[in-house]
Amino acid sequence: MAVYSAAAAVLAGVESRQGSLKGLVYASNFQNVKQLYALVCETQRYSAVLDAVIANAGLLRAEKKLRPHMAKVLVYDLLLGKGFRGRGGRWKPLLERHQARLKAELARLKVRQGVSRNEDLLEVGSKPGSDLHDHPLYQAGHLILQDKASCLPAMLLAPPPGSHVIDACAAPGNKTSHLAALLKNQGKIFAFDQDAKRLASMATLLARAGVSCCELAEQDFLAVSPSDQRYCQVQYILLDPSCSGSGMPSRQLEEPKAGTPSPERLRALAAFQQRALSHALTFPALRRLVYSTCSVCQEENEDVVRAALQQSPGAFRLAPVLPSWPHRGLGAFPGAEHCLRASPETTLTGGFFIAVLERAELRLTGRSTSLRADTRPCPKEEEEAAKSGGCPQHTARHIAAAQSANSSQALGPRRQFGYGWRKKTGNPVPQLEGDGTLLCFGSLPWVVLLRVRRTAAHKNKTQDMVYDRSQFFLFLMT
């Protein structure tokens, strides 16, 4: 039948790299394109199974005139498809002579692999060096191909299922789909991009991949307000902003000068990247952020990270990730070795850069306490301050003015302080009085070391207590 001949020709063309599967199907001029495409895709999907059955049954040895690709198409339809059902032409009696042997070999294959269904014989993996772009699973959207280095950002962000995540510069959506897989489609991904066309393509990609936890927005991430209540639970942000693409081998092949961006372009890109990173770090609930580029230029990578960390001193730190990764960040500043780089020479990938930033933590009495960079009192605190006649004191603003963040240092003269405490238990709140001195504690400039003298009920003992802003706030008493 003509459909078998056309399908065999398409498979032969794909194997000899004459074109893509879809392109060869449409170029075949076969009248029922849908039927031909389905037959070719399914035959290729079971290719390894069919090769094993045909070889073990000795079909090609017995039928010298039968070509391998035609045999594969015919055996698929006989054993795994709908059967010949009135079609098959001159090939039908030939295959029927070998039908019993072919079915027996298929049954033996299932027994050897310990499966009962034909679908269980499929192997998702492929041999090294295989081109998967024509694979039916890829074309159906069930597989999404990425460079190894491009898979690292979502993996290192590692949001647990149920988390709220921002993908700041999301299109074309490969990393977004990876995040959705890590989330197991549970939680929420807020994906932003300004390019309407790229966002439309991304919506198609996510739909084909079965992503249902993502909310797309045609919006500039820099215009997104961190104080918006929709993002109050966002603890993870992936920021992969526009860059020079100097690490992409494909772009360098298409544009020979793409690997050497001009100084002016680098400055413009770095300025945007730094604004985006600094903006991302202002989200109040943020705990972990991954910054990545497909650039090899220091101006877009280490320099951007250093500038953002300097703008939020002590609030975030570079997380030491993948210690065995062979290519580290350039020594542009202390701690830059925690960044990751990738290149064709060292990691067999495209050129890439990754930095993982996490909110600094202080361990008190065996308990890890996350420190908030946002030190503005909550509305309830401000209300209590107004009632008491005091004014809310933004602690971090005073402490960050310290000349040194590496040693304890008093900030100016002693002042009289009132107190405020967020009650998390039913324990009584101690009354505090006397002098309080703000100190810069280690490298965490908004941790408050408050030296107080307790009331007579506590025998007037002087005691050092360390609180972070999630527990304690101060009112400056005039």
Side-chain angles (χ1 to χ4, degrees):
M1 192 177 178
V3 66
Y4 296 128
S5 299
V10 171
L11 289 175
V14 171
E15 186 174 301
S16 59
R17 297 185 180 275
Q18 296 176 11
S20 68
L21 186 149
K22 184 179 290 186
L24 291 172
V25 166
Y26 280 97
S28 68
N29 295 322
F30 187 75
Q31 187 174 3
N32 192 337
V33 173
K34 185 177 180 180
Q35 179 192 20
L36 176 60
Y37 185 73
L39 178 59
V40 172
C41 286
E42 288 302 301
T43 302
Q44 193 177 51
R45 184 181 175 210
Y46 283 94
S47 180
V49 175
L50 295 170
D51 285 339
V53 169
I54 291 171
N56 294 335
L59 179 60
L60 297 178
R61 292 194 301 271
E63 303 293 340
K64 302 295 184 182
K65 294 183 179 181
L66 185 60
R67 308 311 302 165
H69 296 103
M70 177 62 79
K72 193 178 291 187
V73 173
L74 292 170
V75 172
Y76 166 77
D77 217 13
L78 176 66
L79 300 182
L80 306 171
K82 298 179 180 179
F84 293 129
R85 293 186 181 181
R87 65 186 183 185
R90 65 189 180 93
W91 299 112
K92 182 177 180 180
L94 183 150
L95 265 293
E96 287 179 343
R97 290 200 300 269
H98 301 275
Q99 183 173 358
R101 173 63 66 85
L102 291 167
K103 288 185 175 180
E105 291 301 334
L106 178 62
R108 289 192 185 98
L109 187 61
K110 290 180 180 178
V111 171
R112 284 198 298 269
Q113 296 193 15
V115 299
S116 59
R117 301 184 308 160
N118 294 333
E119 293 82 359
D120 295 333
L121 292 170
L122 293 174
E123 296 182 3
V124 177
S126 298
K127 296 179 181 179
S130 299
D131 186 355
L132 298 178
H133 289 87
D134 292 327
H135 196 285
L137 292 177
Y138 171 76
Q139 294 184 345
H142 302 310
L143 293 179
I144 295 176
L145 303 181
Q146 278 199 125
D147 184 84
K148 178 173 67 175
S150 298
C151 295
L152 291 176
M155 185 197 80
L156 293 174
L157 188 63
S163 303
H164 284 205
V165 184
I166 282 179
D167 191 349
C169 304
N174 289 346
K175 296 180 181 65
T176 314
S177 64
H178 192 178
L179 287 171
L182 294 173
L183 290 172
K184 299 180 179 180
N185 245 351
Q186 302 169 19
K188 176 70 74 174
I189 300 175
F190 301 98
F192 301 96
D193 204 276
Q194 294 189 83
D195 193 317
K197 291 183 178 179
R198 283 162 56 89
L199 210 59
S201 300
M202 177 178 172
T204 302
L205 180 148
L206 296 179
R208 293 174 66 191
V211 175
S212 59
C213 64
C214 186
E215 180 181 304
L216 300 182
E218 184 183 338
Q219 185 177 359
D220 182 0
F221 173 64
L222 291 174
V224 178
S225 172
S227 61
D228 192 319
Q229 284 302 305
R230 286 179 296 177
Y231 315 121
C232 65
Q233 298 182 57
V234 170
Q235 295 184 325
Y236 301 88
I237 293 181
L238 193 155
L239 176 61
D240 188 73
S242 300
C243 68
S244 65
S246 55
M248 297 174 62
S250 58
R251 182 176 295 186
Q252 294 177 29
L253 290 173
E254 296 170 2
E255 307 173 36
K257 295 184 179 180
T260 54
S262 66
E264 294 77 13
R265 175 166 166 75
L266 275 180
R267 282 195 293 270
L269 286 168
F272 162 72
Q273 292 154 354
Q274 183 181 332
R275 288 198 305 274
L277 181 54
S278 298
H279 180 66
L281 295 179
T282 62
F283 281 76
L286 179 65
R287 296 184 60 83
R288 191 174 181 91
L289 177 146
V290 169
Y291 172 79
S292 63
T293 72
C294 54
S295 169
V296 296
C297 301
Q298 177 180 326
E299 294 88 342
E300 300 179 87
N301 298 327
E302 288 88 356
D303 291 354
V304 169
V305 173
R306 173 175 56 187
L309 289 175
Q310 288 175 346
Q311 284 189 2
S312 302
F316 291 87
R317 67 184 184 96
L318 281 169
V321 294
L322 298 184
S324 60
W325 188 262
H327 197 168
R328 316 303 297 188
L330 304 179
F333 61 93
E337 68 277 3
H338 295 320
C339 301
L340 305 181
R341 278 180 168 263
S343 67
E345 297 78 19
T346 58
T347 56
L348 304 179
T349 67
F352 213 78
F353 173 85
I354 303 166
V356 181
L357 287 75
E358 61 183 11
R359 193 174 292 281
E361 292 186 346
L362 177 67
R363 295 191 176 276
L364 297 175
T365 63
R367 183 179 61 184
S368 177
T369 304
S370 179
L371 302 180
R372 293 167 47 192
D374 178 18
T375 58
R376 183 177 296 278
C378 68
K380 185 176 180 181
E381 293 169 348
E382 293 179 341
E383 182 182 349
E384 292 176 355
K387 290 180 179 178
S388 65
C391 60
Q393 181 66 36
H394 296 175
T395 308
R397 295 183 183 178
H398 290 270
I399 304 177
Q403 296 178 356
S404 171
N406 298 320
S407 60
S408 296
Q409 179 179 352
L411 303 183
R414 293 175 176 267
R415 296 174 179 176
Q416 190 84 1
F417 288 97
Y419 73 93
W421 188 272
R422 289 184 182 171
K423 296 183 181 179
K424 296 184 179 179
T425 66
N427 297 331
V429 179
Q431 294 290 328
L432 308 180
E433 64 177 21
D435 294 334
T437 304
L438 292 180
L439 303 175
C440 189
F441 186 80
S443 60
L444 305 173
W446 52 81
V447 174
V448 180
L449 176 60
L450 181 63
R451 179 161 293 170
V452 300
R453 186 175 71 253
R454 294 200 172 195
T455 58
H458 294 85
K459 301 181 181 179
N460 287 326
K461 289 186 177 179
T462 300
Q463 181 178 354
D464 290 345
M465 293 184 291
V466 179
Y467 304 112
D468 72 79
R469 262 288 295 127
S470 67
Q471 296 173 317
F472 194 84
F473 64 95
L474 299 171
F475 299 147
L476 177 60
M477 309 298 289
T478 57

